[in-house]
Amino acid sequence: MNRRRLLASLGTAVAVGSAGCSGDDDGDDGSDNPSDDGADRPFADANWRDGDALALDALAESHVAAFVDAGGFTLFSTAETSHDGDADPTPWLPSQVYESSYDLANGRQYVRQELTETEEPDVTELYVAGDELLFRRRTGGETQYDRQSVDRSESDLEEAMRQEALTGIRVEGETETGETEYEGLNRWNPTSDGAGEVRGETTARFAADEFDGDRNIPEAVETASATAHVYEAGVVPRLEQSWAGEHDGGEATVDVDIDYRDPGAEIPEPDWVADAREATSE
């Protein structure tokens, strides 16, 4: 079993969402200077605001700190993709669901990736508790298991969670010349778009209709839109993004929704753990 390939495949959905977040701009009051009342610009004095824009450094800091203080969270992402023709273009990302949960108090992590447009279930799962990593892959009517030891400290787990929590918001990377660069909401033009609501809590909504980053799917972005929701505490509960354009000689669209949810929730042991241990005990 190629574990590096497994972990790379599990990161696919996160990579797709790392450039930003989609939606409509329906909050314009028709004036050049938007109103400052609460309905048009919720949480007007929040430090993660920069007028009608976002102060991304402050937003990234408060967003991550909230999940660290809570002791964990779940990133839940869906990718819906379509293209011209019957054969998949190259490269391609199949429609899928990606879920990654962290439980710092119990030293646990759970990752699940499911392709959603296959005739038979195609699901990959990873469960880490303490120094044990367990793996299950269900595809083509067969089930595969694997197990390995891991050497990961509490600080390593927290750092992994911090990085995942920044997906779509402010992911740090490096250019070919070694310079630091960021991918996330800085690639969009998010502008205040009134109030919204996510999971029963009021949000400030920011809409974008311009994207200046690079994508491999589609290769040439012709239209793009994005919506980000922000709670008053500076937590982003939801990002939505959409790209469309020419790809491998045809047209392709990619829609990615990312939810950041379940702060502080305990990760239960999956019901397949005993089977994985038994299958890998030799």
Side-chain angles (χ1 to χ4, degrees):
M1 176 103 21
N2 189 322
R3 298 185 183 95
R4 291 185 178 178
R5 182 176 300 172
L6 159 67
L7 296 176
S9 69
L10 287 174
T12 300
V14 172
V16 167
S18 66
C21 54
S22 77
D24 302 322
D25 185 354
D26 57 3
D28 188 358
D29 65 2
S31 66
D32 291 334
N33 298 306
S35 170
D36 284 341
D37 69 39
D40 288 338
R41 192 196 286 182
F43 324 131
D45 296 327
N47 70 341
W48 45 261
R49 270 190 174 274
D50 182 9
D52 281 342
L54 287 167
L56 292 181
D57 286 353
L59 179 63
E61 182 177 348
S62 60
H63 177 78
V64 171
F67 292 131
V68 172
D69 291 345
F73 87 108
T74 293
L75 181 148
F76 186 87
S77 175
T78 61
E80 296 186 3
T81 59
S82 62
H83 59 80
D84 292 340
D86 296 328
D88 286 346
T90 303
W92 188 239
L93 176 87
S95 295
Q96 59 188 265
V97 173
Y98 174 86
E99 176 183 359
S100 183
S101 300
Y102 292 83
D103 177 355
L104 298 184
N106 295 297
R108 295 177 177 179
Q109 180 183 6
Y110 173 75
V111 180
R112 182 178 185 274
Q113 182 184 40
E114 179 177 6
L115 303 187
T116 56
E117 295 183 352
T118 55
E119 294 182 359
E120 296 187 28
D122 191 333
V123 183
T124 301
E125 295 170 277
L126 192 71
Y127 174 67
V128 183
D131 60 359
E132 181 184 54
L133 180 153
L134 296 169
F135 161 81
R136 178 172 76 162
R137 175 79 186 276
R138 291 176 290 157
T139 182
E142 298 182 353
T143 300
Q144 297 174 297
Y145 295 104
D146 194 15
R147 176 169 58 169
Q148 71 177 96
S149 296
V150 293
D151 182 13
R152 182 173 65 176
S153 66
E154 293 181 2
S155 61
D156 290 337
L157 180 61
E158 180 180 317
E159 180 59 25
M161 187 188 77
R162 285 176 175 272
Q163 294 303 315
E164 188 128 43
L166 288 172
T167 298
I169 300 171
R170 188 173 170 80
V171 178
E172 183 175 333
E174 192 174 278
T175 67
E176 293 181 356
T177 59
E179 298 179 356
T180 299
E181 67 175 356
Y182 295 94
E183 293 289 338
L185 289 173
N186 59 304
R187 297 301 189 184
W188 296 92
N189 62 332
T191 304
S192 186
D193 189 34
E197 183 178 297
V198 175
R199 293 186 283 279
E201 185 173 344
T202 299
T203 66
R205 186 174 58 198
F206 292 79
D209 58 8
E210 295 180 8
F211 177 75
D212 68 0
D214 295 324
R215 292 193 60 82
N216 61 346
I217 307 172
E219 296 166 337
V221 175
E222 297 168 0
T223 60
S225 60
T227 299
H229 289 266
V230 186
Y231 288 147
E232 185 174 12
V235 173
V236 179
R238 179 170 298 158
L239 303 178
E240 302 167 345
Q241 58 271 306
S242 179
W243 300 267
E246 194 279 332
H247 184 69
D248 196 24
E251 294 292 316
T253 61
V254 175
D255 298 323
V256 176
D257 295 347
I258 306 175
D259 268 24
Y260 305 82
R261 64 193 194 189
D262 304 330
E266 181 177 337
I267 296 177
E269 183 175 278
D271 58 10
W272 51 267
V273 163
D275 291 338
R277 288 176 177 149
E278 180 178 358
T280 58
S281 61
E282 297 181 358

